[in-house]
Amino acid sequence: MPRKSWVAAALTVLAVTVSTTSCATGPDPAAGRARAVPAAHQPAPRQTSPEATGTGVLVPGYLQAATQQDSTEQNLLQQNEVMESVAAYANSLIALPQDVAVNAESCEEPNAWWDKEQQSITLCYGYLGVYRGLFQQQNTSGTQAQQTRATDDDLIGFSNSVVLHELGHALIDLYKLPVTGKEEDAADQLAALLLSLDTLHQEYAASAIQAWEAAWAAAEQGVTLDELADEHALSAQRYYNAICWLYGSDPTAYQGVVQSEDNPEAPLPAARAARCPDEFKQLAESWTTLLGPYLKTGTSTSP
């Protein structure tokens, strides 16, 4: 499954917008990618509104990598201040009932999770290592340096998406939020919502979409019974859901992702696209209602 050209096209406007606010020099514009904005450019935390309850925040951390391969991912995260950046972004939007550690570390299995007992979020270096290999199979345009930068950018964006997904689980658990349907889907929807709020995070959303596409391509030999029975949606479903919700957040900006006679290679079928604005509106209103008491001053999650 080749890398979809719609990502580069859809991010053209975002690349221009982000580059005007970043002092970093990005790769060749012909590569269709924009360099991630450093953490220093993340929004400052907002004051908690009088109505918001909870004074806790996400507290980022890095545990020493146990292997050389894990060290590669630890260096990527630390040099780009990824955990600090995503924590600052979430803290600017949502109040927590207590401080919550969000740590990157070496793990026995490559994964990420919310730990109900420890009440902490973990992102495994090995999880990024798996997706580094998948992204490398997709990022084959340009010079070697450009390919490496594109893969690193995708990993930064994917890491943001994963942490925000796990934040969804944390919020559901800590605030005992009601969920109808699968909690994994609800967490995916919160991540999609938070990634839709500004141009930098929309670019991160595109990297998450590329991750699900890559995982789908890697599983093309067939879906196992364990995968069908798993609480997570299949990678192909998460891929289409994420495209749908990003498109639904701004149909004008992302019109290029919708299949049509003039654009038959676009990834999103027109029949699904027609429902995406309402899907996004529904998930935005649902999460906004659930998080209403915990949103900070100036926060708007409405489409």
Side-chain angles (χ1 to χ4, degrees), residues 185-199:
D185 289 347
D188 275 352
Q189 290 172 347
L190 177 65
L193 174 60
L194 296 181
L195 291 173
S196 74
L197 299 181
D198 61 48
T199 54

Side-chain angles (χ1 to χ4, degrees), residues 15-33:
V16 172
T17 303
V18 172
S19 66
T20 61
T21 61
S22 172
C23 57
T25 301
D28 185 346
R33 300 287 301 175

Side-chain angles (χ1 to χ4, degrees), residues 68-82:
Q68 185 173 356
Q69 183 176 2
D70 283 359
S71 292
T72 298
E73 310 312 336
Q74 180 180 358
N75 290 338
L76 172 71
L77 295 176
Q78 283 193 288
Q79 289 172 6
N80 290 277
E81 299 182 345
V82 173

